[in-house]
Amino acid sequence: MERYAAEITQRLDDLVDPVVESVYLVVPTGTFHDFAFRNIRVIETGRLIGGNLGGYLWEQIWFARFLLSHKADGYLPLNFVPVLKPDVVVTIHDGNALSHPEFYPTVRKRLYRVLASVLLRVARRRSSRILTVSHASRDELVDRCNFNASYVAVAPPGVDHITEDASRTAMNVPEPFYLALSSATYNKNFEWVLETAVANPNQTFLIAGKGDFDAILKSHGYHAPPANVRHLGYVSDEQRNWLYSRCAAFLFPSRYEGFGLPPLEAACLGAPVIVSDIPPMREIFGDGFRYINPDVPATDLQAVTNCPDVGALRAEFSWTASAVKILAHLRRTHADKRGAIVHGKLSN
């Protein structure tokens, strides 16, 4: 989601007309940023407080206060709307807080789900316009979360940021290897990777991404990863690009996604991909793929490996095209106003 916020904001800067629109990126005071915009002005207001909830509190207090005091209209790219100023345009990436309580097994996660559920309901009732990242996510918001279909539009992520000459930083890892990259959450289904590694002891499996990997291991009955599995933790964009370009295949056995950007990124750097049979993956890759059952480990990896049509993917998924859609909705929704405020808290 952080990638979505950053890329869309950058593309909006290229699209807005500063002669007729006053557009601002609002960020917490003192937070690091290196934005270099031509048409969007960066404004700092308020401060982050409250630890992991700091971003949400800032949105609810300081961003809402800014909109109200300036009589401005807002866009938030990361799921939630301010309760005090809910009539904004918002991108909701998925509705799992309302539709999948099983994704929140711990007390801390259940408390977050309560907060997220409240804010999603506020967005459902009061936001000016809702965008989401896939038709699968739109169907979920409408069918399972009771959003009004006429107010939900689709603006998917793009792959414009992944070019064939993208910067790459080599890593000291054994080759060949299969790669999985995502945050360590339940729906990402690292259990499939672990069990597939056990079923393929002569292959090397690398797992990259933020999160508590040890907790994932313990939740699936592992005291340590299988001998042929290596956890890399967080990797930079340059390291990620190198891993994508060198892997035997990129593994994405997710049980649930709003969209699912990593396999699209990997494919654009030449990686074959192995993806689960869930609606967003079929939306991206089509019906001609060999999809995996996310509950059944693979014993024959070659049999479920796919080589996507990269040209078609690049043509279909563009950050610029989605930014054009978002700006059109902002202008249409606020046709009687002078401009929009672009929310600049790019992560929570």
Side-chain angles (χ1 to χ4, degrees):
M1 289 193 290
E2 295 172 16
R3 171 73 63 185
Y4 189 96
E7 297 291 344
I8 288 295
T9 304
Q10 187 64 61
R11 299 319 190 278
L12 287 173
D13 181 59
D14 297 331
L15 296 169
V16 298
D17 184 350
V19 175
V20 297
E21 298 169 313
S22 298
V23 182
Y24 306 94
L25 175 66
V26 185
V27 299
T29 301
T31 54
F32 171 78
H33 56 80
D34 57 356
F35 310 119
F37 296 130
R38 293 182 298 110
N39 299 315
I40 293 177
R41 178 183 171 190
V42 179
I43 293 181
E44 295 187 350
T45 185
R47 290 189 178 275
L48 290 177
I49 58 173
N52 292 334
L53 292 177
Y56 304 110
L57 291 173
W58 181 87
E59 288 176 351
Q60 295 301 315
I61 299 170
W62 292 103
F63 185 61
R65 180 180 177 183
F66 184 91
L67 295 179
L68 290 167
S69 63
H70 289 76
K71 297 182 179 179
D73 303 296
Y75 167 61
L76 292 99
L78 297 176
N79 276 343
F80 303 131
V81 302
V83 173
L84 297 177
K85 183 69 167 69
D87 56 334
V88 297
V89 177
V90 59
T91 295
I92 297 176
H93 293 252
D94 59 65
N96 71 57
L98 294 175
S99 61
H100 288 279
E102 70 274 15
F103 292 171
Y104 302 87
T106 66
V107 172
R108 181 177 175 181
K109 289 183 180 295
R110 285 195 290 270
L111 289 173
Y112 168 80
R113 178 177 176 263
V114 170
L115 170 64
S117 298
V118 169
L119 295 178
L120 285 173
R121 288 186 174 95
V122 172
R124 183 177 64 193
R125 296 169 183 165
R126 300 288 304 281
S127 62
S128 298
R129 187 72 178 181
I130 293 168
L131 297 116
T132 192
V133 292
S134 67
H135 291 281
S137 181
R138 181 182 183 275
D139 290 344
E140 178 188 48
L141 291 174
V142 172
D143 297 338
R144 300 191 62 179
C145 304
N146 299 316
F147 280 71
N148 186 331
S150 64
Y151 283 91
V152 184
V154 176
V159 287
D160 316 33
H161 63 292
I162 298 289
T163 60
E164 293 181 0
D165 60 349
S167 298
R168 305 174 194 188
T169 299
M171 299 187 70
N172 183 22
V173 296
E175 297 186 64
F177 60 84
Y178 288 86
L179 173 68
L181 184 152
S182 64
S183 56
T185 55
Y186 171 81
N187 60 296
K188 301 302 183 182
N189 195 18
F190 282 123
E191 180 182 11
W192 184 93
V193 179
L194 298 172
E195 293 183 356
T196 295
V198 171
N200 295 269
N202 295 323
Q203 303 293 339
T204 298
F205 295 80
L206 305 182
I207 297 176
K210 297 183 291 186
D212 190 346
F213 184 64
D214 289 338
I216 293 291
L217 289 175
K218 291 177 182 177
S219 69
H220 297 304
Y222 290 86
H223 297 292
N228 58 335
V229 173
R230 179 174 170 184
H231 182 233
L232 303 178
Y234 172 80
V235 295
S236 68
D237 285 355
E238 292 76 17
Q239 291 171 324
R240 175 206 63 194
N241 293 342
W242 185 86
L243 291 167
Y244 282 159
S245 65
R246 303 286 292 193
C247 65
F250 181 77
L251 311 176
F252 200 69
S254 183
R255 290 190 174 93
Y256 171 91
E257 293 290 333
F259 183 78
L261 184 58
L264 187 56
E265 292 179 328
C268 286
L269 285 179
V273 297
I274 297 173
V275 296
S276 56
D277 191 2
I278 57 175
M281 292 297 98
R282 285 191 172 271
E283 186 173 330
I284 294 171
F285 295 112
D287 293 331
F289 251 44
R290 294 168 290 183
Y291 295 93
I292 62 164
N293 181 337
D295 295 320
V296 179
T299 56
D300 184 354
L301 290 165
Q302 288 296 322
V304 290
T305 298
N306 303 272
C307 294
D309 182 342
V310 174
L313 294 176
R314 287 192 179 278
E316 184 172 357
F317 297 104
S318 161
W319 290 114
T320 299
S322 287
V324 168
K325 290 182 182 179
I326 291 168
L327 187 57
H329 285 298
L330 283 165
R331 287 169 172 164
R332 187 179 305 121
T333 302
H334 308 291
D336 59 336
K337 308 286 181 68
R338 291 291 294 174
I341 301 297
V342 179
H343 174 212
K345 179 65 174 64
L346 299 184
S347 63
N348 281 311

